[in-house]
Amino acid sequence: MALERIQKILAKAGVASRREAERMMIEGRVTVNGRVIEVLGFKADPSKDHIKVDGKRLNLFEPKVILLLNKPRGYLSTVRDPKGRPTIMDLLKNPKWRIYPVGRLDFDAEGLLLLTNDGDLAHLLSHPKFSVPKTYLVKVTGVPEEKKLTRLKKGVALEDGEAKAVSCSLIQEREKNSWVRIVVTEGRNHLVKRMFSAIGHPVLKLKRIEYGPIQLGDLPFGQFRFLTPEEMEKLKKADGR
Ligand code: URA
């Protein structure tokens, strides 16, 4: 095998996303042949070099898995939290694989979250240039008029640039709030909440029900399942280009 950057090797081996792997390196958790490597450009040959994370040797031949979790509110979508708050790992109960989430759902958001040990796939799905559509059901304050939903489809200005919905429709109207179905392709932080705040209808509840071709279905809260081989194939082709 050829020389590759450590963060790429770690992502391929399913340890973490490239970005997370870089953080691990900076934290001094990665060694190559017994030496702590904190330099992000450092390269190694995974077939010859002994690469360890937290003292554990990498397994380059671990089978690739993708899990679908129905995340309840009140859980962080990170592998660990320095403040000790509940994380999705508490729901997965000692997974056999080193899996980590594809993108994030907010602490107070719920629904479909994918987790994988396939670094390349996680990178592909979360990268802004691959626009995978994500569908959310959102409970908002008040009842947005049609022209406001049209504004979301045309694009609203946020502090980090314009954001657009692929589609957006009112599905239930109540006296003081309503439910809207919205599809977006980006994964910027708090994107959907910020979009609805921009049109004057702050989000009260947010649930992701679809990620590309994958649907949450009737999986109970806090439960997870493996994607089927067919779903995995579809997902790999779901980059929206
Ligand atoms: N948009 C949000 O505001 N929060 C999420 O968790 C996902 C999308």
Side-chain angles (χ1 to χ4, degrees), residues 17-176:
S17 66
R18 284 184 211 188
R19 216 163 39 150
E20 185 76 16
E22 287 177 359
R23 198 170 318 136
M24 290 173 153
M25 292 173 71
I26 293 165
E27 287 169 0
R29 294 163 59 191
V30 181
T31 60
V32 175
N33 304 326
R35 222 179 92 206
V36 175
I37 303 297
E38 292 167 355
V39 182
L40 299 182
F42 192 90
K43 291 183 177 175
D45 180 344
S47 65
K48 289 195 201 127
D49 294 313
H50 283 229
I51 305 168
K52 289 186 179 177
V53 177
D54 297 331
K56 246 170 101 182
R57 180 98 192 257
L58 285 196
N59 178 2
L60 295 172
F61 305 102
E62 204 171 68
K64 300 286 182 263
V65 293
I66 309 178
L67 301 184
L68 187 168
L69 170 73
N70 185 355
K71 181 185 112 53
R73 306 165 124 216
Y75 285 84
L76 283 175
S77 29
T78 49
V79 173
R80 50 172 154 179
D81 179 42
K83 292 189 191 151
R85 286 168 294 181
T87 78
I88 45 167
M89 287 299 151
D90 300 329
L91 300 166
L92 300 175
K93 302 189 182 75
N94 301 320
K96 207 163 115 200
W97 299 276
R98 283 205 255 210
I99 45 177
Y100 51 92
V102 177
R104 300 264 159 107
L105 271 180
D106 292 337
F107 187 70
D108 60 357
E110 59 193 51
L112 192 163
L113 186 69
L114 296 176
L115 296 115
T116 185
N117 60 352
D118 185 338
D120 285 340
L121 181 69
H123 180 68
L124 182 89
L125 294 173
S126 346
H127 202 283
K129 83 174 181 222
F130 307 111
S131 39
V132 181
K134 294 143 202 109
T135 306
Y136 297 88
L137 294 181
V138 189
K139 185 181 180 183
V140 300
T141 329
V143 183
E145 291 170 25
E146 197 50 47
K147 65 174 186 232
K148 291 211 174 160
L149 299 182
T150 305
R151 260 185 73 201
L152 290 181
K153 288 183 263 188
K154 286 196 171 152
V156 283
L158 303 180
E159 69 268 31
D160 53 354
E162 191 187 62
K164 255 186 204 176
V166 175
S167 70
C168 186
S169 53
L170 193 63
I171 52 170
Q172 201 185 89
E173 215 175 297
R174 294 182 181 155
E175 206 182 315
K176 293 196 176 128

Side-chain angles (χ1 to χ4, degrees), residues 104-110 136 184 186-194 203 206 208:
R104 300 264 159 107
L105 271 180
D106 292 337
F107 187 70
D108 60 357
E110 59 193 51
Y136 297 88
V184 292
E186 288 187 69
R188 274 187 269 163
N189 265 354
H190 313 306
L191 184 76
V192 174
K193 287 180 186 163
R194 291 191 287 138
V203 167
L206 188 143
R208 182 154 65 199

